[in-house]
Amino acid sequence: MKGQNRVFWLCLTGTILLALGIIFLPRYFSRSLDMSSIGQVEVTGRDGFSFLEAGSNDIPGVARAFRYLEKNGENPILISSLEEPSQIDRELTEKVYYEANSTAKLGMVPWLGIELGDQSANDWKTGLYKDWSECVKFARYYSLTYESLENSNKKEMMNLWYLRFSDDESFDYYFVVNAVTCAIYYAEVYNSYSENMIWTMEEDRQFFYKGEKDITIQSTDSYASRTELGFMFAEAARDYYGAWEYDYIGQTRQYTLNDKLGIAILYFREDEEQELMQNVYIEVKVREEPYLGQYRGLSIGFQDLAGWVRYIQE
């Protein structure tokens, strides 16, 4: 009996000591290590770590971020996806609505949210507003990280919203915007005005491939219309993005842009003393898949961003 009691107390004592060791020994070793490091400084080379900072919202900086995206074959990371309209902040949709309509009023994109009524579809720069901001379908939040030009150990970050608006009947709009300012970096528009604008520019473009005789006979008025639309787009891009000057390249006998209708080249500089620099390319392109079988779309935006948008839509 005494022997059994002795074994019992030994087991109990061992169990208690083991429990105390599990609880207190890690704390003891951690404290010992902390105490041994007090008063000491360790130096790590700058090559051993990198900084992450918010990128610039100026347009040349934005264009550089998108060029990095295209050049390195990387994609922004999806952070959040809001698929229920009730989840999407009303302030966000109203800001995008305002910015998008600003680009339409300038003539950079086809007119948005129109109730045609008695108005002609040819008059795509005038019309009545229709508040389509409540017709949001989804809003997805992306983050893009890219290398800094100033410091090889620094990375910059830019956040984007990708949104869709549609009434499932007469229009379908997609936008990529700056998450802070809501500036429009990419717009994809399907409505009666996009179809009309495409028709006008494509009909004019065909004359360039029919021969000089047909051009002389048929294309005088059409060429002026196509040229006006192209330069209106490029001038509007200059005004919206705050460039100093612009050039416009359209489909001609000298330039073949494949599936693009035109490209606006924007030139920036910091002040009047600086030479023009930092070209930014804004393209306008036909989206051949018609919305609900009715209207083809136009995509307008930074040339190096368009490929990523098509990738996430597939």
Side-chain angles (χ1 to χ4, degrees), residues 190-218:
Y190 298 80
N191 62 16
S192 60
Y193 288 91
S194 67
E195 177 63 39
N196 181 70
M197 189 174 178
I198 294 168
W199 181 86
T200 301
M201 297 185 79
E202 283 191 334
E203 286 297 304
D204 296 335
R205 184 175 62 183
Q206 290 174 8
F207 289 116
F208 286 106
Y209 304 109
K210 292 182 178 179
E212 196 67 39
K213 182 178 179 180
D214 289 333
I215 293 174
T216 303
I217 295 173
Q218 301 182 44

mmCIF file of all heavy atoms in Angstrom, residues 190-218:
data_model
loop_
_atom_site.group_PDB
_atom_site.id
_atom_site.type_symbol
_atom_site.label_atom_id
_atom_site.label_comp_id
_atom_site.label_asym_id
_atom_site.label_seq_id
_atom_site.Cartn_x
_atom_site.Cartn_y
_atom_site.Cartn_z
ATOM 1 N N TYR A 190 -21.429 50.495 -74.283
ATOM 2 C CA TYR A 190 -22.346 49.888 -75.241
ATOM 3 C C TYR A 190 -23.682 50.635 -75.141
ATOM 4 O O TYR A 190 -24.381 50.526 -74.128
ATOM 5 C CB TYR A 190 -22.594 48.409 -74.934
ATOM 6 C CG TYR A 190 -21.388 47.510 -75.002
ATOM 7 C CD1 TYR A 190 -20.488 47.446 -73.939
ATOM 8 C CD2 TYR A 190 -21.145 46.707 -76.121
ATOM 9 C CE1 TYR A 190 -19.383 46.611 -73.988
ATOM 10 C CE2 TYR A 190 -20.048 45.862 -76.176
ATOM 11 C CZ TYR A 190 -19.171 45.825 -75.110
ATOM 12 O OH TYR A 190 -18.067 44.992 -75.147
ATOM 13 N N ASN A 191 -24.010 51.395 -76.163
ATOM 14 C CA ASN A 191 -25.334 52.011 -76.258
ATOM 15 C C ASN A 191 -25.549 52.460 -77.706
ATOM 16 O O ASN A 191 -24.712 52.206 -78.583
ATOM 17 C CB ASN A 191 -25.508 53.167 -75.254
ATOM 18 C CG ASN A 191 -24.546 54.313 -75.489
ATOM 19 O OD1 ASN A 191 -23.929 54.433 -76.558
ATOM 20 N ND2 ASN A 191 -24.398 55.167 -74.501
ATOM 21 N N SER A 192 -26.648 53.125 -77.965
ATOM 22 C CA SER A 192 -26.932 53.519 -79.347
ATOM 23 C C SER A 192 -25.901 54.502 -79.871
ATOM 24 O O SER A 192 -25.614 54.547 -81.076
ATOM 25 C CB SER A 192 -28.333 54.131 -79.438
ATOM 26 O OG SER A 192 -28.431 55.278 -78.599
ATOM 27 N N TYR A 193 -25.299 55.292 -78.996
ATOM 28 C CA TYR A 193 -24.322 56.271 -79.428
ATOM 29 C C TYR A 193 -22.987 55.624 -79.766
ATOM 30 O O TYR A 193 -22.282 56.069 -80.674
ATOM 31 C CB TYR A 193 -24.173 57.349 -78.356
ATOM 32 C CG TYR A 193 -25.378 58.236 -78.307
ATOM 33 C CD1 TYR A 193 -26.442 57.928 -77.469
ATOM 34 C CD2 TYR A 193 -25.492 59.350 -79.130
ATOM 35 C CE1 TYR A 193 -27.571 58.720 -77.438
ATOM 36 C CE2 TYR A 193 -26.611 60.146 -79.107
ATOM 37 C CZ TYR A 193 -27.653 59.832 -78.263
ATOM 38 O OH TYR A 193 -28.777 60.601 -78.239
ATOM 39 N N SER A 194 -22.621 54.591 -79.027
ATOM 40 C CA SER A 194 -21.381 53.889 -79.379
ATOM 41 C C SER A 194 -21.526 53.231 -80.748
ATOM 42 O O SER A 194 -20.613 53.273 -81.575
ATOM 43 C CB SER A 194 -21.037 52.842 -78.312
ATOM 44 O OG SER A 194 -21.981 51.782 -78.273
ATOM 45 N N GLU A 195 -22.678 52.627 -81.006
ATOM 46 C CA GLU A 195 -22.907 51.987 -82.302
ATOM 47 C C GLU A 195 -22.852 53.008 -83.430
ATOM 48 O O GLU A 195 -22.242 52.779 -84.473
ATOM 49 C CB GLU A 195 -24.259 51.277 -82.296
ATOM 50 C CG GLU A 195 -24.636 50.631 -83.631
ATOM 51 C CD GLU A 195 -23.673 49.520 -84.031
ATOM 52 O OE1 GLU A 195 -23.236 48.753 -83.149
ATOM 53 O OE2 GLU A 195 -23.362 49.425 -85.239
ATOM 54 N N ASN A 196 -23.456 54.164 -83.218
ATOM 55 C CA ASN A 196 -23.457 55.194 -84.247
ATOM 56 C C ASN A 196 -22.056 55.736 -84.509
ATOM 57 O O ASN A 196 -21.660 55.957 -85.652
ATOM 58 C CB ASN A 196 -24.386 56.336 -83.839
ATOM 59 C CG ASN A 196 -24.437 57.425 -84.884
ATOM 60 O OD1 ASN A 196 -24.975 57.246 -85.968
ATOM 61 N ND2 ASN A 196 -23.840 58.558 -84.570
ATOM 62 N N MET A 197 -21.294 55.934 -83.435
ATOM 63 C CA MET A 197 -19.931 56.448 -83.589
ATOM 64 C C MET A 197 -19.053 55.445 -84.328
ATOM 65 O O MET A 197 -18.248 55.813 -85.196
ATOM 66 C CB MET A 197 -19.339 56.767 -82.220
ATOM 67 C CG MET A 197 -18.012 57.494 -82.256
ATOM 68 S SD MET A 197 -17.490 57.971 -80.591
ATOM 69 C CE MET A 197 -15.902 58.733 -80.958
ATOM 70 N N ILE A 198 -19.198 54.156 -84.001
ATOM 71 C CA ILE A 198 -18.434 53.121 -84.694
ATOM 72 C C ILE A 198 -18.799 53.097 -86.171
ATOM 73 O O ILE A 198 -17.930 53.041 -87.046
ATOM 74 C CB ILE A 198 -18.694 51.741 -84.059
ATOM 75 C CG1 ILE A 198 -18.142 51.694 -82.644
ATOM 76 C CG2 ILE A 198 -18.069 50.627 -84.903
ATOM 77 C CD1 ILE A 198 -18.601 50.483 -81.851
ATOM 78 N N TRP A 199 -20.095 53.124 -86.434
ATOM 79 C CA TRP A 199 -20.553 53.088 -87.824
ATOM 80 C C TRP A 199 -19.962 54.246 -88.619
ATOM 81 O O TRP A 199 -19.465 54.068 -89.728
ATOM 82 C CB TRP A 199 -22.081 53.140 -87.868
ATOM 83 C CG TRP A 199 -22.632 53.075 -89.255
ATOM 84 C CD1 TRP A 199 -22.901 51.967 -89.993
ATOM 85 C CD2 TRP A 199 -22.957 54.192 -90.082
ATOM 86 N NE1 TRP A 199 -23.376 52.309 -91.230
ATOM 87 C CE2 TRP A 199 -23.423 53.672 -91.321
ATOM 88 C CE3 TRP A 199 -22.905 55.575 -89.901
ATOM 89 C CZ2 TRP A 199 -23.834 54.495 -92.367
ATOM 90 C CZ3 TRP A 199 -23.313 56.391 -90.945
ATOM 91 C CH2 TRP A 199 -23.766 55.851 -92.156
ATOM 92 N N THR A 200 -19.992 55.433 -88.039
ATOM 93 C CA THR A 200 -19.465 56.617 -88.725
ATOM 94 C C THR A 200 -17.981 56.469 -89.023
ATOM 95 O O THR A 200 -17.529 56.683 -90.144
ATOM 96 C CB THR A 200 -19.688 57.870 -87.869
ATOM 97 O OG1 THR A 200 -21.074 58.033 -87.620
ATOM 98 C CG2 THR A 200 -19.156 59.116 -88.575
ATOM 99 N N MET A 201 -17.205 56.065 -88.025
ATOM 100 C CA MET A 201 -15.761 55.993 -88.203
ATOM 101 C C MET A 201 -15.370 54.817 -89.089
ATOM 102 O O MET A 201 -14.421 54.909 -89.865
ATOM 103 C CB MET A 201 -15.076 55.905 -86.842
ATOM 104 C CG MET A 201 -15.313 57.127 -85.974
ATOM 105 S SD MET A 201 -14.402 57.103 -84.416
ATOM 106 C CE MET A 201 -12.772 57.591 -84.976
ATOM 107 N N GLU A 202 -16.093 53.703 -89.004
ATOM 108 C CA GLU A 202 -15.757 52.555 -89.847
ATOM 109 C C GLU A 202 -16.126 52.804 -91.302
ATOM 110 O O GLU A 202 -15.393 52.421 -92.211
ATOM 111 C CB GLU A 202 -16.475 51.303 -89.343
ATOM 112 C CG GLU A 202 -15.843 50.709 -88.116
ATOM 113 C CD GLU A 202 -16.397 49.335 -87.797
ATOM 114 O OE1 GLU A 202 -17.550 49.050 -88.173
ATOM 115 O OE2 GLU A 202 -15.673 48.558 -87.170
ATOM 116 N N GLU A 203 -17.258 53.425 -91.538
ATOM 117 C CA GLU A 203 -17.636 53.736 -92.916
ATOM 118 C C GLU A 203 -16.613 54.647 -93.554
ATOM 119 O O GLU A 203 -16.213 54.474 -94.694
ATOM 120 C CB GLU A 203 -19.025 54.394 -92.942
ATOM 121 C CG GLU A 203 -20.170 53.445 -92.688
ATOM 122 C CD GLU A 203 -20.267 52.379 -93.765
ATOM 123 O OE1 GLU A 203 -20.368 52.727 -94.954
ATOM 124 O OE2 GLU A 203 -20.217 51.195 -93.416
ATOM 125 N N ASP A 204 -16.162 55.639 -92.813
ATOM 126 C CA ASP A 204 -15.143 56.535 -93.346
ATOM 127 C C ASP A 204 -13.842 55.790 -93.603
ATOM 128 O O ASP A 204 -13.168 56.015 -94.595
ATOM 129 C CB ASP A 204 -14.875 57.667 -92.347
ATOM 130 C CG ASP A 204 -16.105 58.536 -92.151
ATOM 131 O OD1 ASP A 204 -16.942 58.572 -93.066
ATOM 132 O OD2 ASP A 204 -16.224 59.140 -91.085
ATOM 133 N N ARG A 205 -13.495 54.888 -92.685
ATOM 134 C CA ARG A 205 -12.230 54.175 -92.812
ATOM 135 C C ARG A 205 -12.206 53.319 -94.071
ATOM 136 O O ARG A 205 -11.187 53.177 -94.721
ATOM 137 C CB ARG A 205 -12.021 53.285 -91.578
ATOM 138 C CG ARG A 205 -10.677 52.580 -91.565
ATOM 139 C CD ARG A 205 -10.492 51.822 -90.293
ATOM 140 N NE ARG A 205 -11.482 50.786 -90.130
ATOM 141 C CZ ARG A 205 -11.565 50.011 -89.038
ATOM 142 N NH1 ARG A 205 -10.751 50.209 -88.030
ATOM 143 N NH2 ARG A 205 -12.473 49.066 -88.958
ATOM 144 N N GLN A 206 -13.348 52.768 -94.462
ATOM 145 C CA GLN A 206 -13.387 51.905 -95.631
ATOM 146 C C GLN A 206 -12.997 52.635 -96.906
ATOM 147 O O GLN A 206 -12.471 52.044 -97.829
ATOM 148 C CB GLN A 206 -14.790 51.304 -95.776
ATOM 149 C CG GLN A 206 -15.130 50.291 -94.700
ATOM 150 C CD GLN A 206 -16.561 49.827 -94.799
ATOM 151 O OE1 GLN A 206 -17.260 50.156 -95.751
ATOM 152 N NE2 GLN A 206 -16.999 49.069 -93.808
ATOM 153 N N PHE A 207 -13.248 53.926 -96.964
ATOM 154 C CA PHE A 207 -12.922 54.674 -98.173
ATOM 155 C C PHE A 207 -11.421 54.662 -98.454
ATOM 156 O O PHE A 207 -11.001 54.779 -99.596
ATOM 157 C CB PHE A 207 -13.410 56.121 -98.058
ATOM 158 C CG PHE A 207 -14.902 56.253 -98.113
ATOM 159 C CD1 PHE A 207 -15.615 56.730 -97.029
ATOM 160 C CD2 PHE A 207 -15.606 55.880 -99.256
ATOM 161 C CE1 PHE A 207 -16.980 56.848 -97.078
ATOM 162 C CE2 PHE A 207 -16.982 55.995 -99.300
ATOM 163 C CZ PHE A 207 -17.678 56.489 -98.203
ATOM 164 N N PHE A 208 -10.612 54.528 -97.419
ATOM 165 C CA PHE A 208 -9.171 54.566 -97.623
ATOM 166 C C PHE A 208 -8.659 53.323 -98.342
ATOM 167 O O PHE A 208 -7.544 53.308 -98.815
ATOM 168 C CB PHE A 208 -8.452 54.730 -96.288
ATOM 169 C CG PHE A 208 -8.577 56.107 -95.734
ATOM 170 C CD1 PHE A 208 -9.405 56.359 -94.656
ATOM 171 C CD2 PHE A 208 -7.890 57.168 -96.299
ATOM 172 C CE1 PHE A 208 -9.525 57.628 -94.145
ATOM 173 C CE2 PHE A 208 -8.004 58.443 -95.778
ATOM 174 C CZ PHE A 208 -8.828 58.677 -94.704
ATOM 175 N N TYR A 209 -9.472 52.284 -98.425
ATOM 176 C CA TYR A 209 -9.015 51.051 -99.033
ATOM 177 C C TYR A 209 -9.674 50.791 -100.381
ATOM 178 O O TYR A 209 -9.513 49.734 -100.945
ATOM 179 C CB TYR A 209 -9.297 49.879 -98.083
ATOM 180 C CG TYR A 209 -8.673 50.069 -96.731
ATOM 181 C CD1 TYR A 209 -9.462 50.342 -95.620
ATOM 182 C CD2 TYR A 209 -7.296 50.006 -96.562
ATOM 183 C CE1 TYR A 209 -8.904 50.533 -94.375
ATOM 184 C CE2 TYR A 209 -6.735 50.201 -95.309
ATOM 185 C CZ TYR A 209 -7.538 50.461 -94.218
ATOM 186 O OH TYR A 209 -6.964 50.647 -93.000
ATOM 187 N N LYS A 210 -10.412 51.773 -100.902
ATOM 188 C CA LYS A 210 -11.138 51.571 -102.152
ATOM 189 C C LYS A 210 -10.449 52.194 -103.357
ATOM 190 O O LYS A 210 -10.889 52.008 -104.481
ATOM 191 C CB LYS A 210 -12.557 52.142 -102.038
ATOM 192 C CG LYS A 210 -13.443 51.361 -101.078
ATOM 193 C CD LYS A 210 -14.841 51.937 -101.057
ATOM 194 C CE LYS A 210 -15.744 51.122 -100.136
ATOM 195 N NZ LYS A 210 -17.121 51.680 -100.082
ATOM 196 N N GLY A 211 -9.437 52.965 -103.108
ATOM 197 C CA GLY A 211 -8.741 53.589 -104.226
ATOM 198 C C GLY A 211 -8.992 55.081 -104.284
ATOM 199 O O GLY A 211 -9.994 55.596 -103.781
ATOM 200 N N GLU A 212 -8.097 55.804 -104.946
ATOM 201 C CA GLU A 212 -8.146 57.257 -104.958
ATOM 202 C C GLU A 212 -9.415 57.793 -105.613
ATOM 203 O O GLU A 212 -9.998 58.783 -105.181
ATOM 204 C CB GLU A 212 -6.915 57.797 -105.711
ATOM 205 C CG GLU A 212 -6.640 59.266 -105.460
ATOM 206 C CD GLU A 212 -6.213 59.508 -104.019
ATOM 207 O OE1 GLU A 212 -5.457 58.679 -103.477
ATOM 208 O OE2 GLU A 212 -6.656 60.516 -103.450
ATOM 209 N N LYS A 213 -9.912 57.115 -106.645
ATOM 210 C CA LYS A 213 -11.097 57.595 -107.341
ATOM 211 C C LYS A 213 -12.312 57.593 -106.422
ATOM 212 O O LYS A 213 -13.068 58.569 -106.350
ATOM 213 C CB LYS A 213 -11.380 56.725 -108.573
ATOM 214 C CG LYS A 213 -12.586 57.193 -109.380
ATOM 215 C CD LYS A 213 -12.777 56.310 -110.600
ATOM 216 C CE LYS A 213 -13.997 56.760 -111.398
ATOM 217 N NZ LYS A 213 -14.213 55.910 -112.592
ATOM 218 N N ASP A 214 -12.491 56.507 -105.695
ATOM 219 C CA ASP A 214 -13.628 56.429 -104.781
ATOM 220 C C ASP A 214 -13.509 57.440 -103.656
ATOM 221 O O ASP A 214 -14.498 58.003 -103.201
ATOM 222 C CB ASP A 214 -13.744 55.022 -104.193
ATOM 223 C CG ASP A 214 -14.221 54.021 -105.233
ATOM 224 O OD1 ASP A 214 -14.910 54.454 -106.168
ATOM 225 O OD2 ASP A 214 -13.896 52.829 -105.110
ATOM 226 N N ILE A 215 -12.271 57.660 -103.206
ATOM 227 C CA ILE A 215 -12.073 58.646 -102.144
ATOM 228 C C ILE A 215 -12.534 60.017 -102.630
ATOM 229 O O ILE A 215 -13.250 60.737 -101.950
ATOM 230 C CB ILE A 215 -10.593 58.695 -101.726
ATOM 231 C CG1 ILE A 215 -10.202 57.392 -101.050
ATOM 232 C CG2 ILE A 215 -10.337 59.873 -100.791
ATOM 233 C CD1 ILE A 215 -8.738 57.292 -100.727
ATOM 234 N N THR A 216 -12.142 60.376 -103.833
ATOM 235 C CA THR A 216 -12.483 61.681 -104.380
ATOM 236 C C THR A 216 -13.993 61.840 -104.528
ATOM 237 O O THR A 216 -14.572 62.876 -104.188
ATOM 238 C CB THR A 216 -11.819 61.888 -105.757
ATOM 239 O OG1 THR A 216 -10.415 61.722 -105.615
ATOM 240 C CG2 THR A 216 -12.143 63.260 -106.304
ATOM 241 N N ILE A 217 -14.653 60.802 -104.992
ATOM 242 C CA ILE A 217 -16.078 60.898 -105.282
ATOM 243 C C ILE A 217 -16.926 60.798 -104.027
ATOM 244 O O ILE A 217 -17.881 61.541 -103.858
ATOM 245 C CB ILE A 217 -16.493 59.777 -106.274
ATOM 246 C CG1 ILE A 217 -15.794 60.012 -107.619
ATOM 247 C CG2 ILE A 217 -18.005 59.738 -106.454
ATOM 248 C CD1 ILE A 217 -16.021 58.873 -108.593
ATOM 249 N N GLN A 218 -16.545 59.910 -103.091
ATOM 250 C CA GLN A 218 -17.477 59.560 -102.033
ATOM 251 C C GLN A 218 -17.141 60.105 -100.649
ATOM 252 O O GLN A 218 -18.044 60.256 -99.837
ATOM 253 C CB GLN A 218 -17.557 58.029 -101.908
ATOM 254 C CG GLN A 218 -18.011 57.334 -103.171
ATOM 255 C CD GLN A 218 -18.105 55.839 -102.951
ATOM 256 O OE1 GLN A 218 -18.612 55.394 -101.935
ATOM 257 N NE2 GLN A 218 -17.631 55.072 -103.899
#
